[in-house]
Amino acid sequence: MALLKGGKSVDDAWQRIDGDEVLPETGPVVVDLSRWQQDRESLIARADAVGVRLQSDDDPESLAGDLDHLTLIALDFPGFKDGRAYSSARVLRERHAFKGELRAVGDVLLEHLLFMHRCGFDAFEIQSDDPERDWQIAVDDFDVWYQPTADGRPTALQRRSS
Amino acid sequence: MYRYDEFDQALVTQRAKQFARQVERRLAGELTEDQFLPLRLKNGLYLQLHAYMLRINVPYGVLSSRQLRKLAHIARTYDKDYGHWTTRQNMQFNWIRLEDMPEILLELASVEMHGIQSSGNCIRNTTADEYAGVAADEVEDPRVYCEIIRQWSSLHPEFSYLPRKFKIAVTGSDNDRAAVKVHDIGLRLYRNEAGEAGFEVFVGGGLGRTPFVGESIRAFLPTRDLLSYCEAILRIYNQLGRRDNKYKARIKILVHEMGLDEFGRQVEEEWERIREGALTLPDEEIERIRTHFEPPPYESLPAESAAYLAKRTQNQDFATWADQQLADHKQPGYAIVNVSCTPIGRAPGDISSGQMEVMADLADRFSFGELRVTHNQNLVLTDVRQEDVFTLWEALISAGLATANHGLISDTICCPGLDYCSLANARSIPLAEKLSARVADTSRQQEIGEIYVNMSGCINACGHHHVGNIGIVGVDKKNSELYQLMLGGSAEADASLGKILGPGFDEDGIIDAIERIVDAYVSLREDGERFIETYRRLGPAPFKEAAYDGTTQGR
Ligand code: SF4
């Protein structure tokens, strides 16, 4: 699994902690929502960065009050047809102005990168032999958009009136 | 009609190129069929029983002669020389090869057409009243807002993997010809007491296995807030709609399970957060789009053309056809002309490439080069001078397009059924053909009057059988084709769902039963009463008695 960020393949410094697994002494960790809710205080007290991984049926609102403590939120696509995380991403970015890393994990392919990016994802755990090529193909597909989102791409309407 | 600007055109061309790459990746084995499936669906490509089927959007049913000629060309070059109008105002080709798709999409893009989101779990082509812009009873032109929705919903990054498909319809008149109450979102455009234009918003209507009539979720939505409100509805649906069972995934089930009040509360809450944001429609943009729908340069004519009236008295066949096919135009001296693509004894909605070309020529000669596709799978020329109607009629006769059955019993709606569709339990096209052959006589049909017969090959209801005055659905019974009959459906402003009458029939039995039901109606109706009105007054009992009386027993 490659991590794609800013169009580049990068090393992933984050350790994924499933369920009640023991936390490593140091290093950034990403935990499930239930673990976060259970060990919130001690996780905040850690010296290193903390992230939370949301399942597609977790409500992003449950993190609304905690965003200042989180450096990363990973949103899971259990199958690419489950599109809930697109909404979760926009809720976190646009409704709550989350500034950390928003990572797409799970069933992530070239064909989804662009829409994910438009919804606020900026990192992707992608299944691919050549993630950088995939990124280039994906972002070159379109340069016209009708929908205003927080990604800053100008919409057709904005370009029409400029 | 709306003409693409550079941005609209770029998007559609880029999409065609993107799909060419995806086809290449599929053919090279880089994408599995499972991964490719949603991509091809979002470009309108289904795999049917025998071949690929391509569905091409006709945005809210509005088509130019140039576009229709391109469709004729595609039918001739890539298909078996004909196409098919669908109940959602689109065109469908049934015999497409995957390898040809990239070329076809580029051909379509050259005339501002595409198959984007014509299938798949996303926002589909928005539909509208087929008389939009010309109907005498229209309050506001719905096409303006359909086009705004078309743009907003195209390649929407958040709503491209919804729980299920999503359909929006807009009507601009109180006589709802767009069936807005059986859509996921239905919009009724009207003016409030202060004279401002806005929408009544209906949500959660739909047919399929579990039909519902949509309910009003907001009495008045200012037009500038159209997109933020739709986005709020879609966001709640995308987050909370069921994904565990595809038959429970439509928004109607969510609304039903949550209750309209709670669903509405959540929508309003979300809307409050986003309503003053970037989705608010500037007046200038509404106006920019409205200029595309300015009326054509009408001549000022007397309200009634003497030449037209004279032809009517001279030619009884013409008068009969005109009585059935013409509708009132808001402009004096003009007529709305319905052209039946459901001739007696033939599949509803089929049209040959030759007929497409004839229609394109007639649109150029008589109707400012524009046509409409109707949800009854027919065509409309919206702006014909009354004095041209006779010449037009003669041309339609030679093209086999002069059937006089608009709104009559032989003008059935029907889905592809077992002849094309892998989900079907029964054939629907041959049944529609048989019924129309049985009631072929025009004067008999006119005596019967308005009656909508809708047929589906299975409970998925693509033929909208629940909202047919008479609905027929193929059911699976011990591997034989069996049809169930329902009565009392309507897709109009007073929408209602039909009720199953009793045990099902075989193919011949159901035709006999319909005939007896119609006979019963004719003998029971009061003056000027339409079938649906008689049914509502008397209930099912007398019709049930008629249907199950006689030699062919229901079973
Ligand atoms: S109603 Fe059934 S048979 Fe007809 S097209 Fe739809 S799925 Fe196929």
Side-chain angles (χ1 to χ4, degrees):
Chain A
M1 190 71 59
L3 179 62
L4 185 66
K5 217 181 158 178
K8 299 275 173 254
S9 276
V10 297
D11 288 335
D12 187 1
W14 290 82
Q15 294 186 63
R16 173 174 167 181
I17 309 299
D18 282 323
D20 289 330
E21 275 173 21
V22 180
L23 293 173
E25 288 291 311
T26 58
V29 292
V30 54
V31 301
D32 300 338
L33 178 62
S34 55
R35 181 71 178 270
W36 169 257
Q37 287 168 334
Q38 175 192 314
D39 294 341
R40 189 173 175 278
E41 299 309 318
S42 62
L43 285 163
I44 290 174
R46 273 177 77 89
D48 291 309
V50 178
V52 174
R53 179 185 174 108
L54 295 183
Q55 302 305 312
S56 66
D57 57 356
D58 288 336
D59 184 357
E61 279 299 320
S62 44
L63 291 177
D66 293 339
L67 296 179
D68 289 345
H69 304 296
L70 300 174
T71 311
L72 172 143
I73 298 174
L75 297 172
D76 183 48
F77 291 85
F80 64 85
K81 291 178 212 162
D82 182 341
R84 282 176 278 197
Y86 293 99
S87 286
S88 302
R90 290 193 69 191
V91 165
L92 290 167
R93 281 282 189 244
E94 297 175 34
R95 188 187 299 166
H96 297 298
F98 177 61
K99 295 284 187 294
E101 176 178 322
L102 212 47
R103 183 185 291 196
V105 302
D107 197 5
V108 178
L109 290 170
L110 183 173
E111 311 299 344
H112 316 122
L113 292 179
L114 189 50
F115 282 2
M116 289 176 178
H117 191 243
R118 293 232 58 211
C119 287
F121 288 99
D122 58 353
F124 312 87
E125 287 182 12
I126 184 176
Q127 311 155 43
S128 166
D129 303 333
D130 190 347
E132 294 185 10
R133 181 207 62 168
D134 284 3
W135 174 258
Q136 216 42 58
I137 292 174
V139 293
D140 284 349
D141 268 345
F142 295 99
D143 64 9
V144 176
W145 299 101
Y146 293 119
Q147 307 79 12
T149 69
D151 71 349
R153 287 182 175 89
T155 61
L157 177 57
Q158 288 159 349
R159 289 162 73 183
R160 276 171 189 145
S161 49
S162 71
Chain B
M1 65 188 285
Y2 186 76
R3 295 301 311 266
Y4 283 5
D5 69 5
E6 55 183 306
F7 303 112
D8 304 307
Q9 184 64 56
L11 183 136
V12 168
T13 307
Q14 288 165 8
R15 174 59 155 216
K17 291 184 180 150
Q18 181 197 43
F19 191 61
R21 184 198 74 226
Q22 291 166 342
V23 170
E24 223 171 83
R25 265 162 58 85
R26 172 72 192 113
L27 294 173
E30 287 177 44
L31 287 172
T32 65
E33 179 55 26
D34 197 41
Q35 291 166 337
F36 182 60
L37 179 107
L39 306 175
R40 66 169 163 76
L41 288 182
K42 285 191 176 57
N43 287 287
L45 196 63
Y46 281 85
L47 194 54
Q48 292 288 60
L49 273 184
H50 314 290
Y52 281 104
M53 179 272 273
L54 172 62
R55 186 182 295 146
I56 297 161
N57 292 310
V58 178
Y60 34 96
V62 179
L63 195 63
S64 71
S65 55
R66 176 165 163 259
Q67 291 174 323
L68 186 52
R69 281 194 193 93
K70 181 60 87 177
L71 293 177
H73 166 76
I74 288 171
R76 186 168 292 136
T77 317
Y78 304 101
D79 202 284
K80 297 190 173 178
D81 220 16
Y82 68 95
H84 182 80
W85 304 118
T86 78
T87 54
R88 300 204 70 254
Q89 303 179 303
N90 293 324
M91 164 123 284
Q92 222 155 272
F93 290 117
N94 285 310
W95 305 92
I96 295 295
R97 294 174 348 130
L98 183 59
E99 297 84 327
D100 291 334
M101 272 298 286
E103 226 174 313
I104 294 173
L105 289 188
L106 283 175
E107 297 238 29
L108 289 170
S110 73
V111 294
E112 306 179 10
M113 296 189 92
H114 57 75
I116 297 173
Q117 293 170 208
S118 65
S119 50
N121 293 338
C122 48
I123 304 169
R124 305 287 189 84
N125 182 24
T126 298
T127 51
D129 179 351
E130 50 246 25
Y131 298 163
V134 292
D137 59 11
E138 182 169 283
V139 186
E140 277 277 314
D141 191 338
R143 294 171 300 175
V144 176
Y145 300 96
C146 289
E147 176 55 29
I148 287 170
I149 295 169
R150 184 194 73 80
Q151 297 189 16
W152 161 79
S153 62
S154 293
L155 269 54
H156 198 297
E158 183 180 350
F159 304 136
S160 288
Y161 293 93
L162 295 170
R164 202 73 180 85
K165 58 189 170 186
F166 202 92
K167 300 173 179 178
I168 304 177
V170 190
T171 177
S173 135
D174 289 340
N175 293 317
D176 179 8
R177 284 172 291 260
V180 301
K181 286 190 189 166
V182 289
H183 283 76
D184 296 286
I185 292 179
L187 298 166
R188 181 176 73 87
L189 190 51
Y190 73 106
R191 286 188 175 277
N192 66 9
E193 279 167 12
E196 298 153 340
F199 305 94
E200 181 175 14
V201 183
F202 298 91
V203 73
L207 301 174
R209 293 175 180 227
T210 327
F212 283 104
V213 172
E215 294 185 81
S216 178
I217 185 177
R218 191 170 180 84
F220 185 78
L221 177 73
T223 52
R224 66 173 178 280
D225 296 322
L226 171 63
L227 296 184
S228 57
Y229 202 81
C230 287
E231 188 137 314
I233 292 176
L234 264 299
R235 183 161 299 143
I236 302 298
Y237 169 56
N238 190 42
Q239 290 183 302
L240 300 182
R242 286 182 61 170
R243 292 175 187 264
D244 57 331
N245 177 343
K246 86 180 243 210
Y247 299 114
K248 301 201 161 153
R250 295 286 291 269
I251 195 174
K252 60 192 174 186
I253 304 291
L254 178 67
V255 173
H256 185 70
E257 288 181 353
M258 274 174 94
L260 183 71
D261 290 346
E262 174 58 15
F263 181 80
R265 191 193 62 73
Q266 294 205 19
V267 167
E268 294 280 324
E269 185 181 76
E270 176 60 14
W271 184 49
E272 279 308 319
R273 295 186 188 111
I274 61 174
R275 66 183 289 190
E276 296 302 338
L279 281 171
T280 306
L281 287 164
D283 290 344
E284 309 82 71
E285 178 65 1
I286 297 178
E287 282 316 307
R288 182 187 78 85
I289 292 185
R290 196 191 304 285
T291 56
H292 289 269
F293 298 102
E294 290 286 305
Y298 293 122
E299 293 165 41
S300 45
L301 298 170
E304 295 212 298
S305 149
Y308 165 73
L309 292 176
K311 287 291 182 193
R312 284 186 58 105
T313 41
Q314 288 157 16
N315 188 321
Q316 185 50 46
D317 287 347
F318 173 62
T320 303
W321 173 85
D323 281 344
Q324 210 52 51
Q325 301 301 111
L326 266 46
D328 289 342
H329 200 291
K330 65 179 183 190
Q331 180 72 17
Y334 282 79
I336 299 171
V337 180
N338 287 282
V339 177
S340 175
C341 296
T342 306
I344 300 303
R346 287 262 316 280
D350 273 2
I351 183 166
S352 70
S353 45
Q355 288 175 323
M356 290 185 222
E357 273 157 359
V358 169
M359 284 308 298
D361 291 345
L362 294 174
D364 282 340
R365 267 176 76 192
F366 298 118
S367 195
F368 301 98
E370 225 184 273
L371 308 98
R372 307 286 172 85
V373 184
T374 79
H375 74 276
N376 275 37
Q377 304 173 281
N378 295 315
L379 288 171
V380 181
L381 293 174
T382 44
D383 300 288
V384 182
R385 293 189 312 182
Q386 285 176 16
E387 59 192 74
D388 291 334
V389 171
F390 184 77
T391 321
L392 170 65
W393 174 66
E394 290 183 315
L396 290 173
I397 292 178
S398 358
L401 290 166
T403 309
N405 63 353
H406 178 69
L408 297 180
I409 188 166
S410 68
D411 187 15
T412 51
I413 290 183
C414 125
C415 80
L418 200 54
D419 295 289
Y420 296 100
C421 174
S422 48
L423 301 172
N425 291 320
R427 293 171 302 159
S428 43
I429 293 173
L431 192 68
E433 291 173 348
K434 256 193 193 170
L435 174 65
S436 94
R438 177 74 70 91
V439 294
D441 181 45
T442 305
S443 57
R444 171 69 180 147
Q445 289 191 55
Q446 286 183 324
E447 186 200 331
I448 298 167
E450 180 190 294
I451 183 164
Y452 292 100
V453 181
N454 296 3
M455 308 184 188
S456 306
C458 77
I459 53 174
N460 288 320
C462 305
H464 302 179
H465 59 270
H466 302 105
V467 290
N469 299 163
I470 296 179
I472 299 162
V473 54
V475 288
D476 187 25
K477 222 15 158 346
K478 300 187 208 91
N479 294 326
S480 66
E481 291 175 48
L482 194 71
Y483 298 92
Q484 213 141 46
L485 192 59
M486 349 181 105
L487 297 182
S490 163
E492 299 183 340
D494 55 352
S496 57
L497 301 172
K499 292 213 172 54
I500 293 177
L501 198 61
F505 298 87
D506 65 15
E507 191 173 312
D508 290 322
I510 195 143
I511 305 278
D512 293 338
I514 292 173
E515 208 174 18
R516 287 195 299 270
I517 286 170
V518 170
D519 288 343
Y521 153 65
V522 172
S523 67
L524 292 167
R525 70 181 164 195
E526 293 178 346
D527 256 4
E529 214 175 36
R530 298 176 302 150
F531 177 85
I532 185 73
E533 291 159 347
T534 307
Y535 177 84
R536 283 176 181 160
R537 178 169 58 84
L538 296 174
F543 300 101
K544 189 164 180 176
E545 203 183 301
Y548 294 97
D549 174 40
T551 49
T552 315
Q553 285 299 320
R555 46 182 179 148

